[in-house]
Amino acid sequence: MPRQLGELEDAVMTRVWQWNRPVTVREVLEDLQQERSIAYTTVMTVLDNLHQKGWVRREVEGRAYRYTAVSTRAAYSAALMNEAWQQSDNPAAALVAFFGMMSTEQREALNDAIRILPRDTPEAGAAPAEGAEGGAGPAEPGR
């Protein structure tokens, strides 16, 4: 389960996720410097820490590394939501409270997500009906 990213880690990962390609420390530095004063070595340390934590992989290119995200921002957000939900002593109440905080746009996104989920998958722990097809349904776009 991922730990929530710190402010600077999130700023760096946001760029890695948005650009969706291998990035260098220099590229991230130059973009971050449009918002704040920050040193090359700070960005290098943050990317190295993100690599050590398993958030990015890196490949040597010349004398520098190129960093690539290991997973998507959506997967990170989903893991954080799942962690928060599992921490609750009343998961149903937590979901009701969470849904109550949602904007109209977020509720529409939730309804869209529910429509995407395969409905023919067996309940967790239940054996599939005899002769039932295996698998978890159609793959989502981008998978």
Side-chain angles (χ1 to χ4, degrees), residues 21-140:
R21 61 172 172 75
V23 300
T24 64
V25 172
R26 177 76 51 206
E27 290 172 316
V28 175
L29 171 71
E30 289 173 358
D31 200 61
L32 282 171
Q33 284 179 331
Q34 294 177 27
E35 299 173 0
R36 63 177 90 190
S37 177
I38 190 166
Y40 180 93
T41 54
T42 301
V43 177
M44 183 174 62
T45 299
V46 170
L47 279 163
D48 184 61
N49 289 342
L50 290 167
H51 174 257
Q52 297 300 320
K53 293 176 182 179
W55 287 103
V56 294
R57 69 178 63 90
R58 65 186 181 192
E59 294 182 20
V60 176
E61 182 176 287
R63 293 177 37 188
Y65 287 111
R66 285 209 174 262
Y67 295 87
T68 308
V70 170
S71 70
T72 65
R73 175 153 221 142
Y76 165 69
S77 297
L80 289 178
M81 287 187 286
N82 188 51
E83 171 74 7
W85 187 45
Q86 289 180 348
Q87 297 293 325
S88 175
D89 60 347
N90 187 340
L95 282 175
V96 169
F98 178 65
F99 295 155
M101 294 178 197
M102 289 180 154
S103 67
T104 301
E105 293 80 19
Q106 289 170 323
R107 285 189 184 136
E108 289 171 4
L110 175 63
N111 286 329
D112 290 343
I114 290 169
R115 281 192 289 275
I116 291 171
L117 289 173
R119 297 179 188 250
D120 60 340
T121 56
E123 296 276 326
E130 192 166 325
E133 292 289 321
E140 294 177 22

